[in-house]
Amino acid sequence: MSNRKELRDRIQADLDLQDETFITDSDINAWINEAIKKAEAVIHTLYEDYFLVQSTQAITAGTYLYSYPSDIYANKIRKIIYHDGPKNSSHEVKRVSNLVEGSERDIYSTGDNHILQWSPYNSKSDGRQIRLFPEVGRTGTLIIWYIRNAAQLNADTDNCDVDEFERYILQCVKTECYFKDGDPRAMQSKQLEEQLKRDMIETLSNAVPDNNDEIPMDFSFYDDCEGV
């Protein structure tokens, strides 16, 4: 896994740009992130589980709106699990089938031991959020399985987390360098870039997930915290 500086150094060394002033470090940094986005778009289209991850969100009774994970891609939540540590109870938080059902739960589910459900919510002031039903909520933890964004490299020490496809990213940047410099090798570089993209597509197309699309509950977070 290479960081931004290592990627930039490789590009500059391959193209003999170490003393070049027309193509700056900032240019290359921007093109690296653009190339990552291009790779990310292909990955999300063909095998989005490449970016499957989980996070935990503490929740409290009386609160029913929570932010999505900060690095979520297109608000793609795969599964939510609720866990009540003191009671050692868990259940899947399923998406409400319709808002009539959700509204009825707000009205009639007033206890403290109900099954939670959720729906996407988008307010003008706070943006996109997870809306829990019923609104009385519960105290505990949500384990959120979701599809994340590829990391953008904003510092030289930031690592590229699509490292299997670094060759494609590097070639995308080299193509941009050639075009900016008016180098006749630009079209040849573009052809190689397209070949590496096809290789990436073939690799991702062969990444077949297990037939079972259920995600087993992961309580390792709580096992690690036991006794704390």
Side-chain angles (χ1 to χ4, degrees):
M1 185 179 294
S2 303
N3 61 35
R4 188 178 73 176
K5 184 178 185 306
E6 290 168 338
L7 292 173
R8 189 177 65 244
D9 287 348
R10 286 166 63 184
I11 293 163
Q12 291 173 330
D14 289 349
L15 303 186
D16 195 21
L17 297 176
Q18 292 92 334
D19 299 320
E20 176 65 65
T21 58
F22 185 60
I23 297 175
T24 66
D25 286 0
S26 295
D27 288 333
I28 295 176
N29 291 342
W31 291 330
I32 288 172
N33 279 328
E34 288 175 10
I36 289 173
K37 284 186 174 295
K38 290 167 68 174
E40 177 186 37
V42 175
I43 294 169
H44 281 303
T45 300
L46 293 173
Y47 186 53
E48 64 179 11
D49 278 10
Y50 185 96
F51 291 115
L52 181 64
V53 69
Q54 73 170 41
S55 68
T56 57
Q57 170 68 60
I59 61 174
T60 57
T63 302
Y64 55 89
L65 289 173
Y66 296 91
S67 298
Y68 281 91
S70 60
D71 60 346
I72 194 170
Y73 176 83
N75 297 336
K76 286 194 173 184
I77 289 179
R78 185 66 61 79
K79 188 185 289 284
I80 301 179
I81 305 295
Y82 168 77
H83 183 72
D84 184 333
K87 295 182 179 180
N88 197 28
S89 63
S90 302
H91 66 261
E92 181 179 352
V93 182
K94 295 184 178 181
R95 185 164 171 170
V96 293
S97 56
N98 59 73
L99 293 180
V100 172
E101 174 190 352
S103 297
E104 288 180 347
R105 300 210 60 214
D106 281 346
I107 296 171
Y108 298 112
S109 297
T110 57
D112 60 359
N113 200 33
H114 38 259
I115 300 297
L116 295 175
Q117 291 180 278
W118 78 282
S119 174
Y121 185 88
N122 193 349
S123 72
K124 183 177 180 180
S125 58
D126 298 315
R128 294 177 175 85
Q129 296 173 292
I130 296 169
R131 206 290 195 184
L132 294 181
F133 295 92
E135 63 183 12
V136 293
R138 291 183 70 169
T139 295
T141 302
L142 299 180
I143 304 171
I144 305 172
W145 286 91
Y146 65 98
I147 306 300
R148 67 170 177 83
N149 286 301
Q152 289 281 283
L153 311 187
N154 299 314
D156 278 355
T157 54
D158 289 346
N159 290 318
C160 175
D161 61 2
V162 287
D163 47 303
E164 293 91 342
F165 308 116
E166 279 186 4
R167 285 190 65 205
Y168 171 70
I169 291 167
L170 291 169
Q171 198 61 43
C172 288
V173 179
K174 289 178 183 179
T175 299
E176 295 293 340
C177 291
Y178 283 135
F179 274 120
K180 182 172 182 179
D181 203 31
D183 193 305
R185 291 173 291 180
M187 292 310 300
Q188 182 180 358
S189 178
K190 186 66 176 179
Q191 291 172 356
L192 179 54
E193 174 189 324
E194 290 301 318
Q195 179 58 56
L196 291 170
K197 181 179 179 179
R198 289 192 291 270
D199 293 344
M200 177 171 62
I201 290 172
E202 182 177 357
T203 298
L204 293 168
S205 298
N206 291 330
V208 180
D210 295 335
N211 291 331
N212 182 7
D213 61 358
E214 292 295 317
I215 299 174
M217 294 185 183
D218 182 356
F219 300 129
S220 59
F221 172 83
Y222 306 103
D223 295 337
D224 294 341
C225 294
E226 188 175 352
V228 175

